[in-house]
Structure formats: C-alpha cells, structure tokens
C-alpha cells in the first residue's frame, strides 16, 4: 500500500537535496560503493519520535544487499562552530559555515555517530553497521541527520513480538536460543567485554557503550543472503544507539528520577535509577522473557493510594522494584535449561547479575549446539514478516511501498507544492466534515434525550422492519451508524408525536412513505 502523504513528502524532500549533499562514508567501511544519485527509495519501514526510516536500493547494484536510510531531527544543533572539536584534523580546520555543513560536523557530534566512529569502528557481526552519514536541512529549515545501514529485511523484534502476541503464539525454542545468544554477544561487544577483542588495539581501553533504554525495537532481524527462511533463522543485529551512554568499563551512572512523575517503575530494571552494563543484561532478558511467556517483567506490588512512586522512601521503592514475582515461571513449552539460562539475566540484584561476558560464555555451548542440530530446528511461520500498522488495532499488512511513478511526478518543479495544496484542502474538508458530523451527533443525542421512547423504537423496531421491506436503503452495513439515519429519525419522531396527539398512531408506526409525509407536514 502507498505511504501517507507526509511520508511521501519526506522522501521527495530528501531526493531533492541529494545534489547538495556530501556523503560521509564510515572510515572503517571504506569499501562502500553507494553514490547518492543512484539511490531509489522503495519503502517506508517505520517512523517513531522524530525519526523516519526508508528502505532504499542502490540502482547500480540492485542485486546486492540494500540499505536502510534513517532520517532523524538534530535537536541539539550547535551553530556554525562546534566545540570541542572531535579531532585537531577535523573541525579545527573548518573556517566557514558552508564547510562545517558540507562535512557534517553537527552530525558527527550526535550520540549515535559518536558511538560508531569512536567506539564501534569496524563493528561486529551482531551490531547493525553504519555505512555512511551526512546532515542536511529539510524544507522546514530543520537540521536532519541521515544515516545509511545495511537493510535488515525481517524487521525488528518489536514487530516480530507484536505479531506473535496477536496470534497468541510463541516462537520456537531454537530461535530464542539464537536471539538470546546474539543479543548478549552484541552487548558484550558494546560493553567492551567481548573475548574476541580483548587484545584488539582498536578497542583496548575504550569506554563501554551501554543502552539504558534498550527495547525490542533496537533488535533487528535480517535473513541470511541466499538462504531459505524454511531452513534458517534470521540473523540478529543490535542497533539504534541514539540514546546510548559511554561509561568507563565496569562503571555506570545514577539517573535523577525525582522529577519524573510518569516514571515506569513497573517495568524498569529493579535498580531503577542506576544505569550500567548490568541494566542492559536485565533489559535483554526482559525482551526474551516477553517472547517466551507473552508477559512482561512487571512488579506486582502496588504503591499506596494517593501517592506517586517518586514520593515513596527509597526503602519503599526498593520493596516494589525488587518484587520476586516480577519473573514468573515459563510453562512447559520450553525446556528447563532454557528457562534457567534466561533467569540468569533476570537476577533482581544487579550486583549478582552476570556480566555480558560471563553470560556469553554460559550461552555459547547450548546455543551453538542447537544451531548445529537441525533436529531441533523449527521454521518460523510465514506470517512473521507481517508488520503492525501504527494506530490500527489488530491490523497487519506489508510495509508501505512507494510508487516510483508518483515520486517522479512529485519531484517535478512545483509537483510537491501542488500536491501539498491539494492535501491541505483535503485535510480542511475532512475537518469540516468531522465538525459537521460532531454537530449532527450532538443534535441527535439531544433528540434522543428528549424523545427516548421514540428514539429506541425507531432503531430497534421500525428501521429494521423498513430496511427488510426495502423501503429504506441500508446505509451502514452490519452495524448501524446512528447518524446515517438522522433525517429519517427526525421525521419519524415528528410523525409519531403528531400521530399520538391525533390518536391515530400505533407503534412501531406506518411505512416510510407515510412517515415521510407526516414528518414533513408543518406544525399546526
């Protein structure tokens, strides 16, 4: 299905500014052959907060791996000069605003770009790898960070979980072992605690990247190139580091929660305001737990009435967040070994919770065993590719696909502007229609309040009879939309009142033609 117009506008605006952009390739991914003039925007993958993601194709290499274009509003723009500079050879050499913009210096100071250029560098197999980036101003003057990643064509674990939850099904255990192992593997890398890199000069002594707000939407799924989904599971890659924090190895930080009235104490890690690598372990375990049990690691203790969580003493807060009932047993669908391993990441006391490295070593054997043993493999169902449409409950569809012909039309001089005017007029007309409907609904409600018996008689007895006889057309399908029959009910109530006054009315009343005639007669 085509994307909404506001999404089309973002795509067209991006395509329009391409000639002015200097693409900055990740220096650790120098083999990237992508040129902006060769991209084709194919689909809208997802939108959240101030971020939009598009699926794009490199038209010069259409059979190769394709890309995820991530556009995010830069909210901490620092002006013409950047301070402090990233390196003596970069910003310090810039002498003009145009050069600073051309070299995307604002973009380089965004947390996600910092994470890649300073710490992730060449990357890791379970990390979604940044290929290139740049900054630009959109048609509203906002500074936008654009990032290119290899496309993860199976979506995210958030989408995956939503479809399973809707169908009240649960994934195969072998897949959960792979997911669990891959996420912990990625966290070990981010925390700079992965045995593979302990002697790597690129990572020796670097800070740990922690993800205090790790969610299922940060975990991407990608089908192995050339493999059949009936024979393999998707690869898992952790991404979206815009809210990451950089701390000394083994360190963390306290988050001030005193002014957070909407604090999600029920689902946050038990340590609540302490953020560290161990927090990531809890969040990872919670995501796997939510897939395995279709439940959340929610505290069962309630706060006292007329109080907010932030008003409680530290002791009272701890009693709630450390509720041992947060992690309920998983039923017999999964093995005891898997449940025991999952419990390792959900230890309430973060000081006793294993590190990513420790947990990775524990997971390595059983996860690898299941990966190699095809007797334990159970293919994922075909419907796992479905995506939840935002705002439409229990409705599933494929991603939004762009019409290249329409994009070409909108890219013509004045094309987008003309469409915007048309769209604006449609929005105004829709609002006017909604306002008129609201007005009619109010009038109908008052009519029903003043004439309750007649109102009920009309919809329960008279209208179904007249529709069945073919005297009145069915306007609402299976469910009657009351407002569709406003004119009829007004005439019916007038006719009934006059008939009762004249002593000639017999409920539920005569046929529509007679009611229409009586309802149109002027008041005596």
């Amino acid at each position: 299905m085509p994307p909404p117009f506001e999404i089309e506008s973002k795509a067209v605006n991006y395509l329009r500014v391409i000639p002015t952009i200097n693409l900055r390739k990740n220096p650790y991914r120098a083999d990237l052959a992508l040129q902006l003039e060769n991209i084709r925007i194919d689909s809208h993958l997802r939108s959240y907060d101030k971020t939009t993601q598009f699926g794009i194709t490199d038209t010069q290499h259409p059979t190769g791996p394709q890309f995820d274009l991530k556009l995010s509003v830069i909210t901490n723009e620092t002006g013409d000069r950047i301070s402090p500079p990233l390196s003596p050879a970069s910003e310090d050499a810039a002498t003009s605003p145009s050069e600073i913009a051309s070299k995307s210096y604002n973009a380089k100071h965004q947390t996600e770009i910092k994470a890649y250029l300073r710490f992730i560098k060449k990357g890791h197999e379970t990390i979604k790898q940044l290929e290139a980036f740049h900054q630009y101003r959109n048609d509203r003057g906002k500074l936008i960070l654009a990032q290119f990643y290899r496309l993860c064509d199976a979506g995210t674990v958030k989408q995956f979980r939503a479809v399973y939850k809707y169908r009240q099904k649960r994934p195969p255990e072998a897949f959960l072992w792979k997911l669990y192992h891959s996420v912990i593997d990625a966290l070990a890398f981010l925390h700079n605690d992965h045995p593979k890199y302990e002697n790597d000069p690129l990572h020796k002594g670097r800070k740990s990247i922690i993800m205090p707000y790790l969610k299922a939407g940060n975990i991407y799924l990608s089908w192995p190139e050339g493999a059949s989904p009936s024979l393999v599971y998707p690869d898992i890659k952790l991404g979206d580091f815009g809210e990451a924090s950089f701390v000394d190895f083994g360190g963390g930080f306290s988050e001030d929660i005193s002014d957070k009235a909407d604090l999600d104490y029920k689902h946050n890690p038990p340590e609540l305001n302490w953020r560290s690598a161990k927090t990531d372990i809890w969040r990872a375990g919670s995501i796997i737990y939510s897939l395995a049990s279709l439940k959340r690691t929610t505290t069962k203790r309630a706060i006292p009435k007329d109080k907010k969580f932030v008003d409680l003493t530290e002791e009272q807060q701890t009693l709630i967040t450390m509720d041992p009932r947060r992690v309920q047993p998983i039923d017999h669908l999964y093995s005891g070994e898997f449940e025991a391993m999952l419990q390792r990441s959900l230890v309430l006391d973060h000081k006793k919770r294993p590190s990513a490295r420790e947990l990775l070593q524990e997971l390595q054997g059983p996860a690898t065993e299941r990966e190699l043993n095809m007797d334990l493999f159970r293919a994922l169902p075909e419907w796992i590719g479905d995506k939840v449409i935002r705002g439409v409950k229990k409705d599933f569809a494929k991603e939004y696909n762009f019409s290249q012909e329409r994009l070409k039309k909108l890219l013509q001089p004045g094309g987008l502007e003309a469409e915007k005017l048309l769209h604006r007029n449609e929005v105004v007309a829709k609002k006017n229609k909604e306002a008129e409907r609201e007005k009619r609904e109010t009038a109908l409600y008052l009519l029903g309040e003043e004439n309750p018996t007649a109102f009920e008689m009309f919809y329960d007895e008279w209208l179904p009879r007249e529709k069945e006889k073919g005297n009145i057309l069915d306007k609402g399908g299976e469910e009657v939309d009351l407002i569709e029959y406003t004119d009829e009910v007004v005439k019916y109530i007038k006719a009934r009142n006059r008939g009762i006054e004249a002593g000639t009315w017999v409920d539920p009343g005569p046929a529509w033609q007679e009611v229409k005639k009586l309802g149109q007669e002027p008041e005596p």
Side-chain angles (χ1 to χ4, degrees):
M1 65 172 63
F5 178 68
E6 56 269 24
I7 299 299
E8 284 185 319
S9 296
K10 289 181 180 180
V12 172
N13 280 316
Y14 182 75
L15 293 171
R16 280 183 169 181
V17 301
I18 279 178
T20 69
I21 290 171
N22 177 25
L23 184 65
R24 298 292 302 266
K25 296 180 181 179
N26 184 340
Y28 298 99
R29 308 282 289 183
D31 58 343
L32 179 69
L34 179 70
Q35 300 295 324
L36 288 179
E37 59 267 25
N38 296 328
I39 74 167
R40 183 183 71 221
I41 299 181
D42 295 319
S43 59
H44 170 233
L45 301 176
R46 60 192 66 84
S47 291
Y48 52 94
D49 300 330
K50 296 182 179 181
T51 297
T52 300
Q53 288 178 254
F54 294 119
I56 69 168
T57 294
D58 178 358
T59 58
Q60 293 301 301
H61 305 88
T63 59
Q66 297 310 316
F67 296 89
D68 173 348
L69 169 60
K70 181 179 178 182
L71 305 178
S72 306
V73 176
I74 294 177
T75 57
N76 60 341
E77 185 179 348
T78 54
D80 294 340
R81 294 295 298 176
I82 304 291
S83 180
L86 280 177
S87 69
S90 57
E91 282 86 341
D92 280 354
T95 58
S96 70
S98 60
E99 185 179 2
I100 289 171
S102 172
K103 294 184 177 179
S104 295
Y105 289 151
N106 263 296
K108 288 174 71 176
H109 279 262
Q110 299 308 298
T111 299
E112 191 154 24
I113 302 300
K114 282 183 187 178
Y116 279 103
L117 299 188
R118 293 185 178 184
F119 306 119
I120 294 175
K121 298 180 179 178
K122 290 184 178 180
H124 182 61
E125 54 266 26
T126 52
I127 298 293
K128 194 177 183 188
Q129 184 58 51
L130 175 72
E131 302 290 345
F133 68 96
H134 66 83
Q135 68 185 51
Y136 71 97
R137 290 202 181 275
N138 67 10
D139 58 325
R140 297 182 179 180
K142 291 184 178 180
L143 194 61
I144 306 295
L145 168 63
Q147 302 171 74
F148 288 85
Y149 298 89
R150 291 295 179 184
L151 180 66
C152 291
D153 55 359
T156 68
V157 169
K158 180 180 179 180
Q159 294 166 320
F160 180 95
R161 182 177 62 188
V163 179
Y164 264 101
K165 190 170 184 179
Y166 168 67
R167 295 174 180 268
Q168 287 297 295
K169 303 286 185 182
R170 283 179 280 183
E173 182 173 327
F175 171 75
L176 291 181
W177 276 105
K178 177 174 182 175
L179 177 63
Y180 192 17
H181 178 253
S182 297
V183 172
I184 297 302
D185 177 79
L187 290 177
F189 172 80
L190 293 176
H191 298 165
N192 200 20
D193 202 16
H194 200 293
K196 182 177 178 180
Y197 301 95
E198 57 188 355
N199 295 316
D200 189 328
L202 284 177
H203 298 281
K204 200 168 185 66
R206 74 159 169 84
K207 287 184 178 291
S208 296
I209 302 172
I210 62 173
M211 300 184 70
Y213 308 104
L214 175 63
K215 300 180 181 71
N218 296 125
I219 306 171
Y220 289 82
L221 305 173
S222 178
W223 291 110
E225 191 174 353
S228 169
S230 63
L231 299 174
V232 297
Y233 291 133
D235 292 329
I236 288 91
K237 296 183 183 294
L238 203 56
D240 298 334
F241 304 114
E243 294 184 306
S245 295
F246 313 125
V247 301
D248 292 333
F249 181 78
F253 63 93
S254 292
E255 185 178 40
D256 183 12
I257 63 171
S258 60
D259 61 343
K260 294 191 175 182
D262 60 344
L263 181 73
D264 187 11
Y265 68 90
K266 288 186 176 181
H267 305 110
N268 274 359
E271 50 267 38
L272 197 61
N273 66 331
W274 177 250
R275 303 287 178 256
S276 70
K278 298 291 187 74
T279 309
D280 291 354
I281 300 298
W282 171 275
R283 287 192 178 277
S286 293
I287 293 167
I288 309 300
Y289 178 82
S290 69
L291 279 166
S293 67
L294 300 183
K295 300 174 185 175
R296 300 179 69 181
T297 50
T298 308
T299 178
K300 305 300 186 290
R301 292 184 183 274
I303 62 174
K305 287 185 177 180
D306 304 323
K307 280 199 173 185
K308 295 179 180 178
F309 184 81
V310 292
D311 299 328
L312 303 180
T313 65
E314 185 176 342
E315 184 179 355
Q316 289 173 319
Q317 289 180 349
T318 301
L319 192 64
I320 290 173
T321 59
M322 295 286 281
D323 181 2
R325 295 171 297 174
R326 293 187 70 160
V327 184
Q328 300 292 319
I330 301 171
D331 64 30
H332 61 276
L333 185 65
Y334 298 110
S335 68
E337 184 183 11
F338 174 75
E339 182 168 6
M341 190 64 74
L342 183 56
Q343 292 276 0
R344 293 282 291 132
S345 62
L346 296 173
V347 174
L348 291 170
D349 186 346
H350 69 94
K351 295 176 182 177
K352 297 179 181 179
R353 206 176 297 149
S355 67
R357 184 189 184 105
E358 292 168 338
L359 195 50
L360 179 62
Q361 290 171 337
E362 293 176 30
L363 280 165
Q364 188 71 41
T368 302
E369 178 187 345
R370 283 158 178 80
E371 187 175 2
L372 297 175
N373 189 346
M374 287 302 293
D375 290 337
L376 299 175
F377 178 82
R378 299 290 181 272
L380 297 176
E382 293 181 0
W383 42 257
I384 67 103
D386 293 347
K387 293 179 174 60
V388 181
I389 301 175
R390 182 181 296 276
V392 182
K393 189 177 182 181
K394 295 183 179 179
D395 196 358
F396 298 86
K398 293 182 178 179
E399 64 194 20
Y400 290 121
N401 293 313
F402 286 96
S403 161
Q404 297 306 311
E405 184 178 341
R406 177 167 167 79
L407 284 182
K408 193 177 294 184
K409 176 184 175 183
L410 294 176
L411 278 167
Q412 296 299 315
L416 180 61
E417 290 69 23
E419 193 69 23
K420 278 185 177 179
L421 181 60
L422 179 62
H423 180 70
R424 191 178 297 118
N425 291 339
E426 288 175 350
V427 169
V428 170
K430 184 179 179 181
K431 286 183 177 179
N432 290 339
K433 186 177 180 181
E434 289 173 351
E436 179 61 28
R437 179 182 174 88
E438 187 175 340
K439 183 178 176 182
R440 293 178 69 190
E441 284 177 343
T442 302
L444 192 62
Y445 172 77
L446 293 174
L447 185 67
E449 288 286 293
E450 294 168 359
N451 305 273
T453 303
F455 197 80
E456 185 176 336
M457 182 74 66
F458 174 85
Y459 285 106
D460 290 352
E461 296 187 37
W462 187 87
L463 181 60
R465 185 195 73 188
E466 293 302 295
K467 285 166 65 176
E468 185 177 346
K469 289 182 176 181
N471 295 334
I472 289 182
L473 294 177
D474 192 340
K475 302 178 184 179
E478 293 183 6
E479 294 186 9
V480 176
D481 184 354
L482 302 188
I483 202 168
E484 292 293 336
Y485 297 95
T486 301
D487 293 340
E488 289 85 351
V489 72
V490 168
K491 289 183 174 63
Y492 176 84
I493 289 174
K494 282 184 179 180
R496 186 175 185 274
N497 288 343
R498 291 169 185 162
I500 290 174
E501 187 177 340
T504 59
W505 185 269
V506 178
D507 282 330
W512 168 235
Q513 289 301 324
E514 183 67 19
V515 166
K516 186 177 179 182
K517 179 181 175 183
L518 292 171
Q520 286 178 335
E521 289 177 358
E523 294 280 355

